[in-house]
Structures are given as C-alpha cells and as structure tokens.
Amino acid sequence: MTTTHEAVPGGGPKRSVTRRRRPLTFDRASFMVVFLGLPLVIFVVFVVSPFVQALYYSLTDWSGFSAGQNFVGFDNYVRLFHDDIFLKAVRNNVLLAIVVPIVTIVLALTLATLVTIGGSGTGTVRGLRNSGFYRIVSFFPYVIPAIVIGLIWAQVFTPGSGILDALLTKIGLEQFENYAWLGDARTAMPASMFVMIWGFVGFYMVLFIAAIRGIEPEVFEAARIDGAGRFRSAVSITVPLIRDNVQTAYIYLGIAALDAFVYMQALNPGGGPQNSTLVMPQQLFTTAFTKGQFGYSTAMGVILAAVTMLFALLVFTVNALTGGRERKVKGRR
Amino acid sequence: MTTTAADRSDAVAGSRAPGQRAREGRGVATTAHIALILWSLLVILPLVWTLLSSFKTSQEVLGNPLSLPSALRFENYANAWTTAGIGRYFLNTVIVVGSALVLVMILGAMCAYVLARFTFPGNRLIYYSMLAGLTFPVFLAIVPLFFVLKNLALLNTLPGLIITYVAFALPFTVFFLHSFFKALPGEIYEAAQIDGAGEWRTFFSVMLPMAKPGMASVAIFNFLGLWNQFLLPVALNTDSKNYVLSQGMASFASQAGYAVDFGALFAAVVITVAPVLVVYIIFQRQLQVSVTAGGVK
C-alpha cells in the first residue's frame, strides 16, 4: 500500500521532516505536550497499564475486593489445564476459529465473484447488472449491532414463536414443530456459527469485490481468450491475486471468532446446553465479575491472548509455506 | 501477464462462436442472480419478520409467528421507549458515542500527525506499541481496567465510559491516519511556517483540513465500532440508569425471560436498528468506500 508514494521521484515527505532542528518555543513545547502527551497519557492509563497489570494478576490468587493477593506463580495456569469447563470453552473457540472464517470467506468470495464477473456479455468479463442492490443488502448486517443480530436470531430460533420452526413445519417437516435449535447440544453450536457467519459475510463480500475490481481487466481477458471459463478464472486468477486480502480476512475473522462473546451472550448467555457454545471470554467474564476470582480470570485472559497470537502466527506461516510471497510479487507485477 | 492488442484480436478470432458464448454468459448471469437473490432474502427476511412482529401482541407472537399483525400496535413502541427504558439508553448512547467520537478523532489526529511528521526519540516505539494495542484482546485488560476506573472514581459513570472508549479506539485511529499525514507533501508545512504560522495553527488550519477524506473514513468506522460496543459497558457501566443501548437491549431480552413483552422487545430491536439502517442507506456509497480503504490495509 505504501509503495506508490515512495516511488515518486524526488518526492518524499520524509526528507523535509528530518531536515533541521527547530528552536524550542512555547508554541512548540505546548504543541508537543498536548498533541503527543495527552493521547499518550490516556493510552497508557487505560490500555497499556491494564494489559501489563493483567500479566501480574494472573500470577496471584486475588479473589475479591477486600482480600489481599498472594503471588502464586503459575498455579492459576496449572489449574486452568485441569478445568474441564474452561477446556471445553477453549475447544469451542478453536472450532469457531476454524469453521467460521472458512465458511465466511468461501461464501463471501463466491458472492463477490458472482457480482464482479458473473455478468452476461461476449467480449470482456463484466460485472452483474444491478449488483449495487445485492451489495447494499448484503452489507446490512455490518451496521446492525452484533448484540441485536444475536437477539433477532435467538427469536428466529425459538421453538413455538420463532419463524424457523414455523417455516420448516409449513413445508412439511413436522419433526421441527417445537425444535429448540439453541437448546439442543447437537445444533446449538452450528446455529450460533450460522448467526456469526450471517453477520460477517456481507462485510467481506464488499472487501473482496473491491479487491477483485482492483485486478487489471486484461488479466481476466487474457484468461478468457486462453479458453478459461468463469469458474476456472475465479479459482486460478481471482483467488491467487487477492491472496493477501484473503489472509487479512482470515485473521480478522479468526480473532472475531475467538472473541464471539457478544453473539454467544445474545444467543445463549449460560453457555448453551452442556456448555456446547461456551467460549473463553464468557467463562472469563463470569469468573471475574460473578465469582470475583480476579487472578484466575486474568490467567484465562492471558491464555486467550496467547491463542489469538498463535492463531495469527499460524495463518501467516501457512500462507508463507504455500507460496504466498511469490504470487504476491507476481500479482503486483 | 500483459496482453498486447495484437494477440488479443488473434485469440478472439480463434475462440468459440460468439453466439454460443453469449448464451453461456446469460446462463451464468441468471445463476448468479438467483444465488444473490437467495442470499439477499436470507438477510432481509429476519429483519422484515422483526418489523412485522414489532406490531403484534405477545399472544400473536407466541401463537403464530408467520401471521401478519392484526393491527398496527404502535403502543409496543411506546412501551419499549418508556417502560423498557430504550429511550433513556438511546440518549445515553448518543451522549457516550458522540463525545467519544469527537474526542478520539481530535486526539487521534493530533497523535498521528506528530508520529507521522516529527522525528524524536521513541517515535517508533510509541507507534509500535499502539499497533500492539490493536492486536491484544480487550478481554485480557478488562479486569484490571475495572479497577483502574474504580480507583479514578470513574466506574459506572458516563465520562468513565467515554474515556475508555476513546482509549481503545485510539490505536486504530492513529494507525489509520498515520499514513494520511505521512503522505502530505512537506512543502506545505514549510510554506505555512514561512507564512508565520505556529505548530498549532499549521495543524488546525492547514494539515487537518487536508486529511479530511481520511478523517471521514475513520469517523465512520469508529462510529459503528463504538455504537456496537458491548463488552466495555457491560463490565464497566453496571448502573442500569447509565446503560447504553446494546447492554440495555441484552438485559431487556434476558431479564424478563418468558414473561417478556414480545411486541415491545421486537419494537426495541426496530428502534435500535432503524436509525443506523437509514443512515447506512443514505451514506452507503461513502461507507463502503471507507470500509474497503480501511479494511484492506
């Protein structure tokens, strides 16, 4: 992204920035204090310091407002690895981080491809007519607060009053007359995943549409002339050329899936039947603010952060191992 | 990868008959339309159903979810607004999100400007620690944050929530605006200095106006992010009269269980969704441009 302005000959804001030392006047001093100092103080007090404190608290047995805290080393972590409920939450989170990004990206890519190269016509590859409508509608969920998305779907899934069972019964599937989608351990997780995917697809579809539009049309034309059909073009041209965007999307989506707090709180605040939809953040929240076990819950936070970092690292590694770099260079030409 | 005009025309001549290709193209277009219409229906139907249900009585909602409302019961909206407190939560949200947005845009722009255009020891360190702040999950910080606010006597207050929103939206804002300020030509700064403008004046009268497109994009992003915020208010703002919309909605839906006034619940959802949806439809082009500009980075 930054390559464009570096290439401008002789240009370069960098040079003029470092040119000379300016005298320290009141104007300059007050400027630095307010412009840099003020935001930094807020950032350090409310973001940096809590993160740093968390690392320390996770090594203590701090259990309440009045009680003191003892340094217990890694006891909390040892305890976590024997905590069946937390381990269940970790497994649920990992499952979410695998399934939700894959399904979302495949769906978003398919829809984006249909919009950009699904148009009819003989010569050039064309976008679909009236695609603006689909783009606007698909993007709706992005502007709806996640909690509201969860609440709407919780109502849709409710047995008896929800629209899903009513529709399924209407088309002859009587067995779903009073089926509790979120109340059955077999379907609670898939149903929750569906809601998250529903919320994400439109946003990534818009991102991918922009990325595909950024590919030179000649590339598609050349492929078509060589006899590649639309499907072939999508698989062999679009996907490799927007690989970076897919990787970014995968990381964002994975992080969102490792969180999932809002959706799960709306769909099944208690963690679902047999903890089938319980996620780490929910368990952390209850441990901290309901049970008051602050040391133990911050240890959960550290694990969550570690899993998140590990996930991002994994995505980068896989992408690099499968040849992400070379293709990127070729794609950028 | 580059094709010259010559090979292009050759290849076209040698390819399949144009008629066949056109027919195939139409088939693909029809399939594409069908797939996209199905997805659009999947998006719209739950929303339409919510709208219809918001006019029903609880009995109608529970009895027959597919039926149309027997009458347009606007009293559901009145109930949601007053009895369920949605009106109050709405006002709180406007105050909190509005103030946080203004503050984070000003502070973020100032910080990004200094980091992008001045060299001083620690510049990189500050920038990278802000990037790190973007990647760490908020959940890790939430317990200590609770006590930070408690010690500052800001817990359960709107100003406390505002400043926390600002702090957590700051890294993204700085990160995004950094490249905008970096790209501004240095000659403009020098011209302003020669004309006698001080640092403050240069920023507010010259640099800030030039970063307007970037500011607009970040503002939209931040607005949606802050309006959506759920974890911070739920953990740090537990006094029910200070609730913001998202947490108010959650508590309304959960507290009453099966005794909940379903019509009012759906009405509350509509009240929450409608304003953003209207704003979105008006500004959708701008919003999608911002999202693509910000998201691809």
Side-chain angles (χ1 to χ4, degrees):
Chain A
M1 284 284 138
T2 49
T3 44
T4 40
H5 74 111
E6 277 168 18
V8 177
K14 274 181 199 157
R15 199 199 297 168
S16 47
V17 172
T18 50
R19 192 166 289 170
R20 65 195 141 81
R21 290 214 141 238
R22 304 175 194 84
L24 195 68
T25 58
F26 173 75
D27 176 64
R28 266 187 73 73
S30 65
F31 170 81
M32 286 308 259
V33 167
V34 174
F35 274 54
L36 189 63
L38 199 58
L40 271 189
V41 166
I42 294 176
F43 181 66
V44 167
V45 171
F46 295 95
V47 182
V48 177
S49 94
F51 279 132
V52 175
Q53 287 180 53
L55 292 178
Y56 174 71
Y57 287 152
S58 76
L59 303 173
T60 69
D61 65 352
W62 192 17
S63 61
F65 290 85
S66 50
Q69 63 216 39
N70 301 309
F71 188 82
V72 296
F74 290 98
D75 282 7
N76 285 328
Y77 294 95
V78 175
R79 202 173 132 204
L80 274 178
F81 282 104
H82 294 98
D83 182 336
D84 287 339
I85 296 179
F86 183 73
L87 291 179
K88 174 81 188 169
V90 176
R91 276 198 294 278
N92 287 338
N93 264 133
V94 171
L95 188 67
L96 278 170
I98 295 169
V99 177
V100 171
I102 290 180
V103 179
T104 308
I105 286 176
V106 169
L107 249 176
L109 255 178
T110 311
L111 294 173
T113 308
L114 291 178
V115 166
T116 46
I117 61 173
S120 59
T122 41
T124 52
V125 173
R126 236 181 259 176
L128 208 56
R129 264 187 215 196
N130 305 321
S131 63
F133 170 78
Y134 303 125
R135 230 179 42 231
I136 295 173
V137 169
S138 312
F139 201 68
F140 269 174
Y142 181 68
V143 294
I144 302 176
I147 185 80
V148 176
I149 292 180
L151 291 178
I152 291 176
W153 280 98
Q155 294 302 322
V156 169
F157 286 138
T158 309
S161 64
I163 194 178
L164 181 59
D165 283 351
L167 282 175
L168 288 175
T169 314
K170 192 139 202 162
I171 59 167
L173 299 167
E174 304 288 341
Q175 68 268 36
F176 289 113
E177 198 184 341
N178 259 314
Y179 187 71
W181 292 90
L182 296 168
D184 189 313
R186 283 168 304 171
T187 50
M189 193 55 157
S192 308
M193 285 174 170
F194 170 81
V195 176
M196 293 178 68
I197 293 163
W198 185 87
F200 291 139
V201 166
F203 177 82
Y204 290 95
M205 176 180 158
V206 169
L207 279 191
F208 291 149
I209 289 174
I212 295 173
R213 294 243 161 98
I215 299 173
E216 304 274 332
E218 285 82 10
V219 178
F220 283 113
E221 235 160 90
R224 260 202 120 171
I225 288 159
D226 288 347
R230 283 187 172 78
F231 181 74
R232 187 64 204 273
S233 307
V235 173
S236 316
I237 310 251
T238 315
V239 175
L241 285 185
I242 65 165
R243 207 183 160 112
D244 279 359
N245 304 73
V246 174
Q247 180 192 284
T248 314
Y250 206 102
I251 290 177
Y252 282 158
L253 280 164
I255 291 174
L258 286 172
D259 180 333
F261 179 71
V262 190
Y263 291 97
M264 296 311 183
Q265 282 296 100
L267 293 167
N268 251 329
Q274 294 150 43
N275 292 322
S276 53
T277 63
L278 184 75
V279 288
M280 280 187 267
Q282 277 180 306
Q283 189 60 9
L284 188 159
F285 197 85
T286 329
T287 310
F289 296 107
T290 313
K291 298 186 188 159
Q293 300 173 356
F294 299 115
Y296 192 47
S297 68
T298 40
M300 292 180 182
V302 174
I303 300 279
L304 177 64
V307 174
T308 309
M309 299 293 143
L310 205 68
F311 170 81
L313 199 72
L314 205 69
V315 174
F316 274 113
T317 317
V318 168
N319 192 35
L321 285 181
T322 51
R325 297 250 157 202
E326 290 160 53
R327 299 207 188 178
K328 189 176 94 184
V329 174
K330 220 190 274 173
R332 289 266 166 86
R333 289 182 305 151
Chain B
M1 282 284 162
T2 43
T3 343
T4 63
D7 7 295
R8 200 178 301 161
S9 56
D10 279 349
V12 168
S15 69
R16 280 171 290 176
Q20 191 191 341
R21 183 158 267 195
R23 231 174 300 123
E24 175 212 301
R26 261 197 300 278
V28 173
T30 313
T31 322
H33 274 298
I34 291 171
L36 285 158
I37 286 169
L38 283 179
W39 182 257
S40 306
L41 281 177
L42 193 60
V43 170
I44 295 177
L45 278 181
L47 301 179
V48 171
W49 178 67
T50 305
L51 182 67
L52 288 176
S53 302
S54 74
F55 293 111
K56 292 179 177 181
T57 62
S58 280
Q59 282 71 27
E60 282 179 293
V61 172
L62 292 170
N64 188 354
L66 291 180
S67 69
L68 292 172
S70 57
L72 293 180
R73 275 171 238 284
F74 284 100
E75 63 262 34
N76 286 340
Y77 284 83
N79 287 341
W81 189 260
T82 50
T83 320
I86 297 298
R88 170 169 214 131
Y89 306 151
F90 202 98
L91 187 69
N92 286 340
T93 312
V94 170
I95 293 170
V96 172
V97 172
S99 326
L101 190 61
V102 171
L103 277 173
V104 80
M105 291 311 297
I106 295 174
L107 292 171
M110 296 193 316
C111 188
Y113 173 68
V114 173
L115 289 177
R117 304 205 61 95
F118 292 81
T119 38
F120 54 89
N123 183 321
R124 296 269 91 184
L125 179 75
I126 295 170
Y127 184 65
Y128 285 121
S129 67
M130 289 213 155
L131 280 191
L134 264 180
T135 51
F136 273 58
V138 184
F139 275 94
L140 178 54
I142 198 73
V143 171
L145 192 58
F146 180 89
F147 290 95
V148 167
L149 286 175
K150 193 168 185 275
N151 293 338
L152 294 171
L154 287 170
L155 198 63
N156 297 333
T157 65
L158 293 186
L161 201 56
I162 292 169
I163 196 142
T164 317
Y165 276 17
V166 169
F168 278 88
L170 202 57
F172 171 75
T173 313
V174 170
F175 172 62
F176 194 108
L177 290 177
H178 189 267
S179 56
F180 269 86
F181 284 118
K182 196 118 204 167
L184 294 181
E187 287 74 17
I188 292 176
Y189 173 82
E190 279 168 14
Q193 298 278 298
I194 290 163
D195 286 349
E199 300 290 357
W200 287 77
R201 186 75 199 267
T202 311
F203 176 75
F204 284 108
S205 312
V206 181
M207 295 304 200
L208 197 56
M210 290 187 72
K212 239 185 217 158
M215 294 284 283
S217 297
V218 189
I220 290 173
F221 253 112
N222 279 336
F223 169 75
L224 287 173
L226 297 177
W227 190 270
N228 260 320
Q229 190 50 259
F230 182 69
L231 172 66
L232 292 176
V234 166
L236 308 173
N237 182 40
T238 49
D239 183 346
S240 67
K241 69 179 193 304
N242 283 341
Y243 274 4
V244 294
L245 259 182
S246 56
Q247 70 183 137
M249 286 295 308
S251 83
F252 180 35
S254 65
Q255 87 201 153
Y258 284 96
V260 75
D261 178 349
F262 278 100
L265 178 63
F266 283 108
V269 168
V270 174
I271 293 172
T272 315
V273 172
V276 263
L277 226 46
V278 169
V279 171
Y280 164 60
I281 289 170
I282 297 169
F283 293 107
Q284 54 90 14
R285 197 161 286 276
Q286 171 68 36
L287 179 68
Q288 297 199 351
V289 169
S290 313
V291 163
T292 39
V296 181
K297 294 209 168 178

